[in-house]
């Protein structure tokens, strides 16, 4: 039945009029198919604008997609704009001007339509040329950081190319726009997109919440600083070395290093401009972190001052408890300050045995002398013991009885490990290692020195090791060499810099 002669006979058995109509209909269908497959858009003005036609986001002039695919893609893009503000256009055409590449034609189309919100530049275009077998993403300036070229390239290769090779254009585009919608609605990306839209929304009232929070935080911090100043007001006590003063110095140095590293990273990564763009949004967070750090150091300074003001540990612990009871609310502004009362509570519990009354030779309880209240608080200590307390290597509890009996009990203080025992006088008053000159260095001869510890009580020297000092000529030569290098480095670093210009046409493309 399928023999060509049989088919030929069947065709010519049809009446002439009907046969003519059938041939004409076939020619029209063939011409329509040829036109559909070969339609070329020479300029971007020839491509129908879906916004102008009331079709939303999708331009499919040849009707390549089914109605279900068209509606599904439009629904995804509509929801994406409603939630993030991103305007997305999808264009499906057979071919375009043969004298232009996909990048140039897509970029021209993007700018001709003006995809994206004004000034926010948050537009996205996907151009598909089926006959040329090419696709191209184009992003606005505002999306270049959120949708890098590499990300779009990956999405295209994994979703578009496999589907397009099977001529499943609608399925490939639908999977792509769904992936892009989910990607752009991730929380970290939504915040950045929202800040772009808030910055350029017309006729929008100013959001004062950030500034109100800023002034509230500043007011609370001033109240906190005023309250802390009341614990050190009118006192002229010199802060002696203690654990709090050492922590204060180390934390200040660490903060300077961290801030310096952050500034260097921001400078070389080019993120300063982004910080300025989001300044009003970040102001409350920046203020809170800054106040937290400053208040942390201010409380640490107050503790160091109290430690120097009260020589008696029991009195000091009472003063610290009073401080924490009055300033407990400051933990809201600076949560790390909660560490102080916890540590002091542990320390006071460990020291509680020190304050248990001793018994004298008659078995009667002795009374611990509060040396911060005593008229002559140092009368029970020798000069060496007073020097130990001055260096904060040891602290002494003095117990007295009604019978006139006295006991002096030593306890390790904050700098106990830094001051070894002097072999001459027996007090823990040796200084940290210092270098003394024995013979001075000249221009042609090295000098000698010695590293020693000096007793702050009896001035006894404990030898550690010998030291050789380089001749003065070598020292000057090294100094000049270093300064020369420093000058050269400074000159080189200032000879050029990046200008930080703008760019357009970000995106990615490919073929299948």
């Amino acid at each position: 039945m399928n023999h060509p002669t049989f088919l030929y006979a069947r065709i010519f058995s049809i009446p002439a009029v009907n046969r003519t109509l059938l041939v004409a209909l076939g020619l029209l269908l063939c011409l329509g198919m040829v036109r559909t497959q070969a339609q070329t858009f020479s300029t971007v003005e020839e491509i129908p604008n879906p916004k102008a036609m009331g079709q939303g986001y999708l331009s499919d002039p040849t009707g390549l997609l089914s109605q279900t695919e068209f509606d599904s893609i439009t629904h995804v893009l509509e929801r994406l704009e409603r939630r993030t503000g991103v305007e997305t256009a999808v264009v499906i055409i057979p071919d375009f001007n043969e004298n232009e590449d996909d990048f140039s034609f897509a970029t021209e189309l993007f700018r001709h339509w003006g995809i994206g919100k004004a000034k926010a530049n948050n537009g996205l275009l996907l151009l598909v040329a089926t006959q040329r077998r090419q696709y191209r993403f184009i992003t606005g300036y505002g999306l270049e950081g959120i949708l890098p070229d590499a990300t779009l390239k990956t999405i295209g290769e994994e979703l578009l190319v496999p589907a397009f090779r099977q001529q499943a254009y609608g399925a490939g585009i639908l999977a792509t726009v769904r992936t892009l919608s989910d990607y752009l609605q991730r929380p970290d990306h939504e915040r950045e997109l929202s800040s772009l839209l808030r910055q350029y929304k017309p006729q929008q009232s100013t959001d004062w919440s950030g500034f109100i929070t800023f002034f509230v935080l500043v007011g609370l911090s001033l109240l906190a600083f005023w309250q802390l100043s009341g614990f050190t007001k009118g006192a002229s006590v010199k802060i002696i070395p203690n654990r709090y003063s050492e922590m204060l110095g180390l934390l200040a140095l660490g903060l300077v290093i961290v801030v310096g590293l952050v500034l260097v990273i921001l400078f070389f990564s080019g993120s300063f401009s982004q910080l300025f763009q989001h300044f009003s949004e970040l102001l409350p967070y920046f203020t809170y972190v800054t106040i937290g750090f400053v208040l942390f150091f201010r409380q640490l300074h107050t503790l160091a001052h109290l430690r120097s003001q009260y020589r008696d540990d029991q009195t000091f612990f009472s003063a610290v408890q009073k401080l924490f009871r009055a300033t407990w609310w400051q933990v809201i502004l600076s949560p790390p300050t909660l560490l102080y009362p916890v540590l002091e509570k542990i320390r006071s519990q460990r020291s509680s045995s020190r304050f248990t009354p001793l018994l004298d030779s008659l078995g009667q309880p002795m009374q611990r002398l509060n040396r911060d209240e005593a008229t002559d608080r140092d009368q029970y200590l020798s000069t060496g013991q007073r020097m130990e307390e001055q260096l904060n290597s040891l602290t002494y509890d003095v117990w007295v009885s009604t019978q006139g009996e006295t006991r002096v009990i030593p306890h390790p203080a904050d700098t106990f490990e830094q001051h070894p025992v002097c072999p001459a006088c027996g007090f823990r008053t040796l200084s940290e290692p210092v270098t003394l000159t024995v013979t001075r260095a000249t221009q042609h001869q090295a000098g000698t020195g010695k590293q020693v510890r000096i007793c702050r009580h009896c001035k006894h020297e404990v030898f550690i090791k010998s030291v050789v000092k380089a001749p003065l000529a070598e020292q000057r030569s090294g100094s000049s060499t270093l300064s020369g290098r420093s000058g050269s480095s400074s000159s080189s670093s200032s000879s050029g810099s990046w200008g930080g210009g703008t760019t357009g046409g970000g995106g990615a493309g490919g073929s299948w």
Side-chain angles (χ1 to χ4, degrees):
M1 295 179 62
N2 294 329
H3 195 274
T5 304
F6 175 78
L7 293 175
Y8 182 81
R10 289 293 302 272
I11 291 175
F12 280 91
S13 65
I14 302 175
V17 176
N18 294 339
R19 187 168 63 247
T20 302
L21 292 175
L22 182 62
V23 171
L25 181 60
L27 289 174
L28 289 175
L29 290 174
C30 291
L31 289 175
M33 292 178 62
V34 170
R35 176 171 177 80
T36 299
Q37 294 297 325
Q39 184 176 1
T40 300
F41 294 84
S42 300
T43 64
V44 297
E45 288 80 6
E46 296 178 4
I47 299 178
N49 188 336
K51 290 288 185 180
M53 299 174 61
Q55 295 179 351
Y57 311 89
L58 186 57
S59 179
D60 180 21
T62 60
L64 186 64
L65 304 180
S66 67
Q67 188 63 43
T68 302
E69 293 171 338
F70 190 100
D71 294 340
S72 298
I73 295 172
T74 301
H75 174 72
V76 173
L77 298 182
E78 180 182 6
R79 184 180 58 182
L80 175 62
E81 183 181 10
R82 186 171 62 251
R83 294 186 177 182
T84 67
V86 173
E87 286 187 355
T88 307
V90 177
V91 177
I92 310 169
I93 56 177
D95 203 355
F96 52 87
N97 192 336
E98 62 180 3
N99 296 322
E100 291 189 76
D101 57 20
D102 58 335
F103 172 81
S104 301
F105 192 84
T107 302
E108 184 180 358
L109 177 62
F110 186 100
R111 294 171 178 169
H112 175 66
W113 284 358
I115 304 171
K117 299 294 187 295
K119 296 184 180 180
N121 297 316
N122 58 342
L124 173 63
L125 168 66
L126 171 58
L127 173 66
V128 179
T130 57
Q131 184 174 336
R132 191 175 291 202
R133 301 173 67 89
Q134 289 181 335
Y135 71 92
R136 169 63 61 176
F137 289 104
I138 297 294
T139 56
Y141 290 108
L143 288 183
E144 288 181 357
I146 304 173
L147 279 177
D149 296 356
T151 299
L152 292 173
K153 185 70 173 178
T154 301
I155 292 175
E157 290 179 348
E158 293 185 1
L159 298 178
L160 291 179
V161 172
F164 287 179
R165 286 176 179 171
Q166 303 296 325
Q167 296 188 354
Y169 299 103
I173 294 173
L174 181 58
T176 298
V177 296
R178 282 175 175 171
T179 300
L180 288 171
S181 178
D182 293 339
Y183 181 85
L184 291 172
Q185 291 182 64
R186 281 165 44 181
D188 50 339
H189 296 153
E190 277 191 321
R191 284 193 296 269
E192 187 168 354
L193 289 170
S194 299
S195 65
L196 277 173
L197 295 176
R198 284 197 300 269
Q199 185 176 0
Y200 296 109
K201 274 185 179 178
Q203 304 300 328
Q204 185 179 14
S205 60
T206 304
D207 185 7
W208 293 100
S209 59
F211 294 98
I212 294 175
T213 305
F214 167 76
F215 287 113
V216 171
L217 290 173
V218 171
L220 291 176
S221 65
L222 292 177
L223 177 62
F225 297 145
W226 173 81
Q227 187 179 25
L228 289 173
S229 65
F231 289 88
T232 58
K233 185 177 180 180
S236 58
V237 179
K238 180 181 179 181
I239 297 181
I240 62 175
N242 56 67
R243 69 178 67 205
Y244 300 104
S245 61
E246 292 178 356
M247 289 173 59
L248 187 63
L250 291 175
L251 288 175
L253 178 61
L255 181 61
V256 170
I257 294 174
V258 170
V259 171
L261 289 175
V262 171
L263 292 177
V264 169
I265 293 174
L266 291 176
F267 177 79
F268 285 104
S269 63
S271 300
F272 272 122
S273 59
Q274 296 182 6
L275 287 178
F276 288 127
Q277 290 177 1
H278 305 297
F279 177 75
S280 59
E281 181 181 356
L282 297 175
L283 181 60
Y285 303 99
F286 177 78
T287 304
Y288 182 77
V289 172
T290 302
I291 290 176
F293 272 111
V294 175
L295 189 58
F296 183 79
F297 286 108
R298 186 65 181 86
Q299 280 212 359
L300 193 58
H301 178 269
T302 304
L303 287 171
H305 183 90
L306 291 177
R307 177 69 274 185
S308 299
Q309 182 179 2
Y310 297 107
R311 184 174 299 183
D312 189 272
D313 282 350
Q314 194 169 25
T315 308
F316 168 70
F317 290 148
S318 299
V320 170
Q321 291 176 2
K322 181 181 178 181
L323 170 68
F324 292 146
R325 282 195 298 267
T327 62
W328 63 267
W329 64 272
Q330 297 184 14
V331 175
I332 301 174
L333 296 175
S334 181
T337 58
L338 183 62
L339 181 66
Y340 298 145
V342 174
L343 292 179
E344 284 304 325
K345 184 67 175 178
I346 295 174
R347 190 184 176 197
S348 63
Q349 290 178 350
R350 291 178 178 177
S351 304
S352 59
S353 59
R354 288 177 49 186
F355 310 127
T356 302
L358 301 179
L359 300 179
D360 59 13
S361 57
L362 300 178
Q364 298 297 320
M366 303 181 71
Q367 182 179 3
R368 184 177 178 277
L369 182 66
N370 188 334
R371 297 171 56 224
D372 289 319
E373 299 177 356
T375 305
D376 188 1
R377 60 186 182 183
D378 293 331
Q379 63 177 327
Y380 300 99
L381 303 182
S382 65
T383 55
Q385 291 172 332
R386 288 197 294 269
M387 178 57 67
E388 288 174 327
E389 286 200 331
Q390 183 177 342
L391 296 175
N392 207 24
S393 61
L394 287 175
T395 183
Y396 288 92
D397 290 337
V398 179
W399 295 87
V400 296
S401 68
T402 56
Q403 308 298 327
E405 189 174 340
T406 304
R407 293 185 187 179
V408 179
I409 310 298
H411 298 281
D414 294 336
T415 62
F416 179 81
E417 299 293 339
Q418 299 176 18
H419 298 283
V421 175
C422 173
C425 63
F427 293 105
R428 190 170 283 273
T429 51
L430 284 181
S431 68
E432 296 182 352
V434 295
T435 301
L436 303 178
T437 300
V438 177
T439 59
R440 294 183 178 276
T442 64
Q443 293 185 355
H444 306 288
Q445 185 176 359
T448 61
K450 59 181 179 179
Q451 192 177 69
V452 299
R453 289 181 182 269
I454 302 176
C455 179
R456 298 289 299 276
H457 174 240
C458 66
K459 309 305 178 184
H460 175 73
E461 293 184 5
V462 177
F463 177 81
I464 300 176
K465 64 179 181 179
S466 298
V467 178
V468 178
K469 295 186 176 182
L472 296 179
E474 294 183 7
Q475 296 177 10
R476 292 176 183 174
S477 174
S479 174
S480 63
T481 300
L482 289 175
S483 63
R485 290 178 181 175
S486 175
S488 173
S489 174
S490 175
S491 175
S492 174
S493 63
S494 62
S495 62
S497 61
W498 287 278
T502 59
T503 183
S511 59
W512 66 94

